[in-house]
Amino acid sequence: MPRTFEPMLATLHDTPFSDERWIYERKLDGIRLLVFRDGEHVELYTRNGKLRNDHFPELLDLFAAQPCQRFVLDGEVVAFDGDVTSFARLQQRSGIADPDQARASGIAIYFYVFDSPWIEGYDIRRVPLRQRKAILRGVLDYTGRLRFTAHRNGDGETMLAEACRKGWEGIIAKQADSCYRGSRSRRWLKLKCQAGQELVIGGFTEPRGERIGLGALLMGYYEGDALRYAGRVGTGFSDAELRRLHRELSKIERRQPAFVDPPNEPGLHWVMPEHVAEIEFTEWTTDGKLRHPAYLGERDDKDPQDVVREVRSA
């Protein structure tokens, strides 16, 4: 029974396309998890190897009840705001590490399965994707909060247009005959309805007026070993989140900026680049800054050093 797998990652793509050799899935706005079940034992890991059993105890029950006894599943845990998956809502739940408090949070979670590298003693990474999905559909019981990630064949342009009308984050295009490879690949492509990605928190500003906690976050991304400044984010926070962020960031303040190209103005607070946040924005400006950014939530399933500026491929 394998104990770890490096997940396959998608590359951001700029141009919608339709191709019968590709399948198209809904892009879910949640947290990627690898699920390992070996008989009665179940473990949930983020893509950077953090155990999340205590955060999502309902999923342990869900997977332990499956008829398939031994598997590794690749999928996404989500929470809904209406008919749309919402990372901001999931974040209210994902930060709770006590199983009883997590169950009592009132935030329902669901798990969407979209792939598997290993099932019942068989390494199926070299099996074509379409066949892997057929295997998954047949060996799991998709009732309750376990969902199979459906796909559309061939017509990616129509699906992306529908996704944007419905308020989804976008779609994932995957080559139907692709193997499962533990790395970033151009055989899986992300097509987004709007810009957004995770970025590293490198500092914050003082609050003004009636604002509490902090004013804005100073965000960045890595180019090699260099942390580049990407701009500030001052919207999308609740009062409770402003207080929490100020409390956590104040613990890791430093005298000098971690950015290689920091903004030059007085009154800025610099922090160790240890925290990652999901940021929504309209576009990158010509000088490499965020336009109209908004904070969606902090995420600890991504390592800061892995956060780079996502460059769209045509």
Side-chain angles (χ1 to χ4, degrees):
M1 177 72 190
R3 296 301 175 189
T4 183
F5 271 105
E6 184 179 353
M8 189 165 177
L9 304 176
T11 299
L12 187 65
H13 190 70
D14 192 44
T15 307
F17 66 98
S18 298
D19 191 320
E20 290 298 328
R21 297 169 298 178
W22 292 68
I23 66 174
Y24 302 87
E25 298 173 350
R26 176 179 181 176
K27 189 177 188 306
L28 299 162
D29 195 8
I31 294 175
R32 183 94 170 261
L33 290 179
L34 289 173
V35 180
F36 295 78
R37 181 190 180 186
D38 186 3
E40 298 299 316
H41 188 67
V42 178
E43 292 183 340
L44 313 173
Y45 286 96
T46 63
R47 56 180 264 188
N48 61 341
K50 294 184 178 180
L51 186 65
R52 284 295 174 263
N53 285 21
D54 291 342
H55 298 72
F56 306 115
E58 307 97 314
L59 297 185
L60 301 181
D61 300 337
L62 186 68
F63 294 120
Q66 287 295 312
C68 183
Q69 293 288 309
R70 305 174 76 224
F71 53 68
V72 181
L73 303 178
D74 192 354
E76 195 123 347
V77 58
V78 303
F80 282 89
D81 184 0
D83 295 329
V84 180
T85 57
S86 169
F87 179 76
R89 181 163 174 78
L90 179 64
Q91 192 215 16
Q92 300 172 37
R93 170 63 192 275
S94 63
I96 303 174
D98 179 270
D100 292 333
Q101 292 181 18
R103 291 181 189 272
S105 67
I107 300 175
I109 56 171
Y110 300 84
F111 192 84
Y112 280 78
V113 180
F114 51 72
D115 211 331
S116 170
W118 196 92
I119 289 281
E120 289 288 21
Y122 293 93
D123 185 334
I124 60 173
R125 284 176 290 181
R126 293 189 178 183
V127 173
L129 171 61
R130 200 187 297 275
Q131 295 178 36
R132 294 201 305 273
K133 293 196 71 173
I135 292 170
L136 280 173
R137 186 185 285 276
V139 299
L140 299 176
D141 179 15
Y142 294 99
T143 57
R145 297 184 179 183
L146 184 64
R147 308 286 174 84
F148 179 77
T149 304
H151 64 264
R152 180 175 298 182
N153 297 312
D155 194 358
E157 292 163 292
T158 298
M159 185 172 181
L160 181 60
E162 291 177 2
C164 296
R165 285 199 303 270
K166 292 178 179 178
W168 297 355
E169 188 179 0
I171 63 174
I172 302 290
K174 300 178 178 179
Q175 284 189 4
D177 65 350
S178 59
C179 299
Y180 189 99
R181 299 184 182 277
S183 61
R184 193 168 298 280
S185 171
R186 294 189 181 276
R187 303 191 80 183
W188 286 15
L189 301 173
K190 292 183 286 188
L191 295 106
K192 293 185 177 182
C193 293
Q194 54 188 342
Q197 66 164 88
E198 60 269 9
L199 291 165
V200 179
I201 301 173
F204 61 92
T205 67
E206 287 284 344
R208 296 180 179 179
E210 297 182 357
R211 181 90 162 197
I212 60 174
L214 54 83
L217 296 176
L218 307 177
M219 310 302 301
Y221 59 89
Y222 277 96
E223 285 185 354
D225 294 330
L227 184 63
R228 295 286 180 187
Y229 177 61
R232 62 182 64 195
V233 180
T235 62
F237 306 95
S238 66
D239 287 348
E241 184 66 358
L242 286 170
R243 292 190 186 95
R244 188 194 71 82
L245 283 168
H246 183 262
R247 183 172 61 252
E248 294 300 318
L249 296 178
S250 294
K251 299 175 184 177
I252 56 171
E253 282 200 59
R254 53 186 284 168
R255 300 189 65 175
Q256 299 297 322
F259 299 113
V260 295
D261 52 350
N264 183 19
E265 57 183 271
L268 301 181
H269 295 259
W270 310 115
V271 301
M272 300 293 293
E274 299 174 356
H275 291 255
V276 176
E278 188 76 17
I279 305 298
E280 180 182 83
F281 54 94
T282 56
E283 63 180 348
W284 290 96
T285 64
T286 55
D287 62 346
K289 302 298 186 294
L290 306 172
R291 187 184 298 277
H292 305 135
Y295 174 86
L296 296 181
E298 188 179 351
R299 56 190 316 155
D300 65 356
D301 59 324
K302 307 287 179 72
D303 290 327
Q305 286 286 344
D306 293 336
V307 174
V308 298
R309 177 174 168 178
E310 291 188 338
V311 179
R312 294 177 181 267
S313 62

